[in-house]
């Protein structure tokens, strides 16, 4: 095989375009047929990239274009690059922004001294994977207590526009760098151009760019490009995990667009669609990406993925296949955001498979269960409070309301990434302090302290000290009671 590959490169294996149908290109080779996933180059300046996806017969291959095919015509020469699509890896890629081909798109000088690796790689073998379930501490109270993330696991982030999704991602990147001494990689699949520009500027202002890599594929790019950008970002993450032995936080926005791009590619290649029009190979394609995100003996890639659920239908095949890979779900609430309770994470809808007594411990499990129970009772009492007022509740129910409102405010937290907007110093809260605070609130230790004393603090001990003036949280009791 190595000899054939060497010969293929030595003779500069060249072919000829025989047909172009949109992004689908058929090429004829006389000498050697390129293997599947080979990258071909065409055009006057070899600016058109084509990835081989099928071998039609002894001389023809069919590929999908990763770039626009304007100007490509039958009879044009095609060059076989001798390998798959590659992406740069190395310390030099930190603080930079790339496209799917490894070209810098941040208007700075090109990267030098990097190694180029193929984006198609196998998941780590089971013998190398860590069998110990570990918690990935984010330093964000509500996540660590109610929906703990798994080190080397995958978490889904659900939220609309304007509820704090980007701020939450930025804060996790900041905490990853300062607390875990790790690397963060942001992968934008089918992003709007303004989202990439805004995120780059936000990361730069927040000071987290030096330990971060960003890779984007825009929404207007061909489906082949959007389909491969996730693999390219994962190749970078694997370098830091396997070669640098560092923990990596991989942020993917949006995993549904990866499935969508695969569906487009499948349709262009003429495959028979499966249920609801999805590609028949969707499960395999998603697994080839997700299974590479793992915790090994050298480091871990922990992934947080924004998930779009089509028409809010959780039985949609895209949602079902994605959920099967996730170990935690973080749901953002527009109602909490409108009340100024940031991070606006819904405590009842967010959950984690790690929140089990055997993993987080009996005490953590008990506290999290009591918090959920308190919030659930509070949600049931809200209608009664709105109609009759707080005074009409039984004493026990009133205590539940007081606890729930104090827990809501204690689970807010000032972020490092928003210091320039709020003038509040960011807090990174250890899990132990977060659990202590929640437990003491549940025991009614802070019943006589105003709710505002618990708003936007770190550990619970700060509630007893004089706080600097801050944007006050909702300090009015339900039903208009002071």
């Amino acid at each position: 095989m190595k000899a054939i590959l060497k010969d293929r490169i030595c003779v500069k294996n060249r072919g000829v375009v025989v047909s172009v149908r949109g992004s689908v290109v058929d090429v004829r080779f006389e000498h050697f047929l390129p293997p599947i996933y080979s990258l071909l180059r065409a055009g006057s300046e070899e600016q058109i990239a084509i990835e081989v996806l099928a071998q039609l017969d002894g001389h023809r291959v069919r590929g999908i274009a990763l770039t626009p095919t304007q100007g490509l015509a039958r009879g044009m020469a095609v060059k076989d690059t001798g390998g798959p699509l590659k992406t740069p890896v190395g310390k030099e890629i930190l603080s930079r922004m790339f496209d799917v081909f490894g070209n810098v798109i941040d208007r700075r000088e090109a990267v030098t001294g990097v190694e180029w690796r193929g984006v198609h790689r196998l998941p780590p073998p089971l013998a190398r994977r860590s069998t110990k379930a570990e918690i990935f501490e984010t330093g964000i109270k509500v996540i660590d207590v109610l929906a703990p993330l798994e080190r080397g696991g995958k978490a889904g982030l659900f939220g609309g526009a304007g509820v704090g999704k980007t701020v939450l991602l930025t804060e996790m990147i900041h905490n990853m760098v300062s607390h875990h001494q790790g690397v963060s990689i942001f992968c934008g699949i089918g992003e709007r151009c303004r989202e990439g520009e805004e995120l780059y500027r936000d990361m730069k202002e927040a000071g987290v760019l030096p330990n971060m890599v960003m890779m984007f594929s825009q929404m207007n790019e061909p489906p082949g490009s959007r389909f491969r950008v996730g693999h390219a970002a994962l190749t970078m993450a694997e370098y830091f995990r396997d070669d640098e032995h560092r923990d990596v936080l991989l942020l993917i926005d949006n995993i549904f667009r990866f499935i969508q791009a695969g569906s487009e590619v499948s349709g262009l290649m003429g495959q028979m669609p499966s249920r609801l029009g999805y590609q028949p190979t969707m499960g395999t394609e998603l697994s080839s990406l997700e299974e590479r995100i793992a915790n090994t003996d050298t480091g871990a890639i922990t992934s947080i993925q924004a998930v779009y659920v089509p028409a809010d239908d959780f039985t949609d095949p895209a949602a079902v296949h994605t959920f099967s890979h996730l170990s935690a779900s973080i749901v953002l609430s527009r109602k909490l955001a409108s009340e100024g309770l940031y991070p606006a994470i819904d405590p009842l809808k967010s959950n984690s498979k790690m929140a089990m007594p055997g993993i987080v411990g009996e005490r953590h499990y008990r506290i999290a269960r009591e918090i959920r129970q308190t919030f659930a009772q509070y949600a049931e009492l809200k209608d009664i409070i709105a109609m009759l007022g707080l005074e009409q509740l039984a004493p026990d129910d009133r205590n539940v309301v007081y606890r729930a409102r104090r827990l809501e405010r204690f689970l807010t937290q000032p972020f490092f990434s928003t210091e320039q907007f709020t003038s509040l110093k960011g807090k990174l809260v250890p899990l132990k302090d977060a659990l202590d605070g929640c437990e003491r609130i549940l025991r009614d230790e802070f019943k006589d302290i105003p709710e505002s004393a618990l708003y936007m603090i770190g550990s619970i001990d700060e509630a007893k000290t004089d706080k600097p003036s801050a944007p006050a949280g909702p300090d009015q009791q339900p039903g208009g009671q002071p």
Side-chain angles (χ1 to χ4, degrees), residues 251-424:
L251 305 158
I252 299 177
D253 186 14
N254 186 307
I255 198 65
F256 174 78
R257 295 196 195 116
F258 168 78
I259 296 172
Q260 204 172 35
S263 179
E264 291 180 48
V265 169
S266 175
L268 288 167
M269 294 297 290
Q271 293 179 346
M272 184 71 72
S274 181
R275 190 161 68 93
L276 297 182
Y278 288 104
Q279 64 271 38
T281 54
M282 178 173 66
T284 306
E285 290 166 359
L286 187 61
S287 298
S288 69
L289 184 77
E290 298 280 10
E291 288 301 301
R292 289 170 63 180
I293 303 169
N295 183 1
T296 69
D297 49 4
T298 56
I301 299 175
T302 303
S303 175
I304 299 173
Q305 307 169 6
V307 182
Y308 168 71
V309 181
D312 291 335
D313 179 13
F314 284 81
T315 64
D316 187 273
V320 170
H321 281 81
T322 304
F323 291 146
S324 66
H325 292 280
L326 301 178
S327 57
S329 298
I330 300 169
V331 181
L332 297 176
S333 162
R334 191 172 298 281
K335 185 175 182 302
L336 291 174
S338 66
E339 293 177 10
L341 299 171
Y342 289 104
I345 295 172
D346 192 316
L348 294 177
K349 292 181 181 177
S350 303
N351 59 74
S352 170
K353 294 177 182 175
M354 302 299 287
M356 303 291 289
I359 299 174
V360 298
E362 288 287 348
R363 176 172 175 260
H364 185 163
Y365 177 73
R366 174 180 54 78
I367 292 171
R369 191 175 59 182
E370 285 183 31
I371 293 171
R372 290 181 191 279
Q373 189 176 6
T374 303
F375 280 131
Q377 289 176 300
Y378 179 41
E380 291 174 1
L381 293 169
K382 279 182 178 178
D383 288 340
I384 300 173
I385 296 168
M387 289 186 292
L388 304 176
L390 186 68
E391 293 173 345
Q392 302 302 317
L393 294 179
D396 288 346
D397 288 341
R398 256 183 293 190
N399 286 333
V400 167
V401 173
Y402 293 146
R403 280 185 220 119
R405 288 178 64 82
R406 279 163 175 76
L407 281 170
E408 273 184 341
R409 281 139 191 80
F410 176 65
L411 291 176
T412 62
Q413 188 170 338
F415 281 175
F416 292 96
S417 52
T418 58
E419 284 181 0
Q420 64 232 24
F421 310 114
T422 63
S423 301
L424 292 174

